[in-house]
């Protein structure tokens, strides 16, 4: 596992929505057991089959969860930002990662030691119930990603990915190369290039040297496949108030 992050100089605001959905006293208790860190772009937090040593609750960062297909380049199946956590297998008592977790967007997060997390999980039903709902959200998102990959065209899938990234980057500008997008979407680079060029011609995005700017959010949502809104509905239904 790549070493990888630095301690934040100041404690970031507790803006992880999963933690913030808990009662104030419970949230404060958990935050007291966390360390504030700055996750660096490209850092590997977990590898498949490796022991999970820490869990992460992103606040201003986001993480790509992927799986290798036939030993080749990883294919992204989910993205975790301030709506969730990295290290979810521990919720079910599994201490080995099932997916590769790589920092896709640098920024602050809360980090908790795996042993501490397991102890907190067993301390009472409040955190456990919230995390079980989050697991259901993740399962629904995995299923939606499978449907999206199988049935939807590259352009709609690309728009969905860009919207998901913007949501987690908390900014209309973020870094994303054509090569990286192709790897995440599991398609050839030329397909991503064509789709991105089409979006630029419609003035929905601006793309230059790996930097993407969302120019028209409403039009992007209209251009996305239905999977983007489906993901939002699932999260809103199962984790209302988060």
């Amino acid at each position: 596992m790549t070493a990888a992050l630095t301690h934040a100089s100041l404690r970031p605001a507790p803006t992880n929505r999963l933690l913030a959905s808990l009662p104030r006293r419970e949230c404060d208790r958990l935050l007291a057991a966390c360390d504030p860190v700055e996750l660096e772009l490209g850092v590997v937090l977990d590898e498949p089959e490796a022991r999970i040593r820490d869990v992460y609750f992103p606040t201003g960062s986001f993480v790509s969860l992927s799986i290798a297909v036939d030993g080749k380049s990883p294919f992204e199946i989910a993205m975790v930002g301030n709506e969730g956590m990295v290290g979810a297998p521990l919720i079910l008592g599994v201490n080995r990662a099932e997916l590769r977790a790589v920092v896709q967007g640098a920024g602050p997060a809360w980090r908790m030691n795996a042993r501490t997390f397991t102890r907190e999980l067993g301390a009472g039903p409040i955190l456990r119930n919230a995390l079980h709902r989050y697991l259901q959200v993740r399962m629904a998102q995995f299923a939606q990603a499978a449907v999206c990959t199988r049935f939807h065209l590259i352009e709609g899938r690309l728009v969905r990915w860009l919207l998901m990234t913007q949501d987690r980057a908390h900014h209309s500008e973020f870094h994303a190369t054509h090569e990286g997008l192709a790897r995440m979407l599991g398609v050839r680079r030329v397909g991503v290039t064509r789709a991105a060029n089409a979006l630029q011609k419609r003035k929905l995005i601006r793309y230059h040297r790996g930097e993407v700017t969302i120019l028209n959010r409403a039009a992007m949502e209209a251009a996305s496949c239905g999977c983007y809104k489906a993901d939002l509905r699932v999260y809103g239904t199962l984790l209302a108030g988060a």
Side-chain angles (χ1 to χ4, degrees), residues 7-242:
H7 281 272
S9 57
L10 297 174
R11 293 180 74 85
T15 54
N16 179 276
R17 294 169 60 196
L18 181 57
L19 293 179
S21 70
L22 299 170
R24 181 61 181 269
R25 181 177 296 181
E26 185 81 1
C27 179
D28 288 346
R29 184 172 62 81
L30 289 171
L31 289 176
C34 292
D35 293 319
V37 294
E38 287 287 331
L39 300 183
E40 300 173 0
L41 182 65
V43 163
V44 179
L45 302 180
D46 286 320
E47 288 279 16
E49 303 303 322
R51 187 179 186 88
I52 299 173
R53 301 187 181 279
D54 299 288
V55 299
Y56 299 87
F57 298 94
T59 53
S61 55
F62 57 98
V63 178
S64 170
L65 302 180
S66 62
I67 187 168
V69 180
D70 295 330
K72 299 180 181 179
S73 297
F75 173 64
E76 183 179 89
I77 61 174
M79 192 185 301
V80 179
N82 75 327
E83 83 292 344
M85 63 169 287
V86 178
L90 288 173
I91 300 171
L92 298 176
V94 178
N95 64 3
R96 302 280 173 176
E98 83 282 21
L99 301 169
R100 192 169 195 256
V102 181
V103 179
Q104 192 73 28
W110 295 103
R111 179 181 63 186
M112 183 185 293
N113 177 269
R115 289 185 179 179
T116 302
F117 177 79
T118 300
R119 185 178 66 246
E120 294 290 347
L121 196 61
I126 296 176
L127 176 62
R128 188 163 59 247
N129 290 341
L131 293 178
H132 284 172
R133 290 196 301 273
Y134 175 64
L135 278 183
Q136 182 61 34
V137 170
R138 284 273 293 271
M139 290 170 62
Q141 290 175 338
F142 289 165
Q144 197 70 50
V147 170
C148 190
T149 301
R150 174 65 180 84
F151 292 104
H152 293 154
L153 299 177
I154 293 177
E155 184 174 315
R157 292 170 56 201
L158 174 61
V159 172
R160 172 178 177 256
W161 192 94
L162 293 175
L163 289 172
M164 290 171 60
T165 302
Q166 183 184 13
D167 290 343
R168 289 156 178 81
H170 309 292
H171 202 280
S172 60
E173 299 180 14
F174 48 87
H175 182 77
T177 65
H178 282 192
E179 182 178 353
L181 289 169
R183 187 169 58 251
M184 293 300 100
L185 296 175
V187 299
R188 296 174 60 195
R189 178 174 175 173
V190 64
V192 169
T193 299
R194 289 171 180 167
N197 287 342
L199 296 176
Q200 287 198 94
K201 288 180 180 179
R202 292 159 58 187
K203 300 188 183 304
L204 302 187
I205 68 171
R206 181 170 60 245
Y207 183 88
H208 181 67
R209 296 179 182 271
E211 299 301 321
V212 177
T213 303
I214 304 295
L215 299 176
N216 190 328
R217 172 79 190 198
M220 284 284 282
E221 290 187 9
S224 175
C225 63
C227 296
Y228 174 71
K229 290 184 178 179
D231 282 340
L232 294 182
R233 285 196 299 271
V234 168
Y235 190 88
T237 300
L238 294 178
L239 291 176

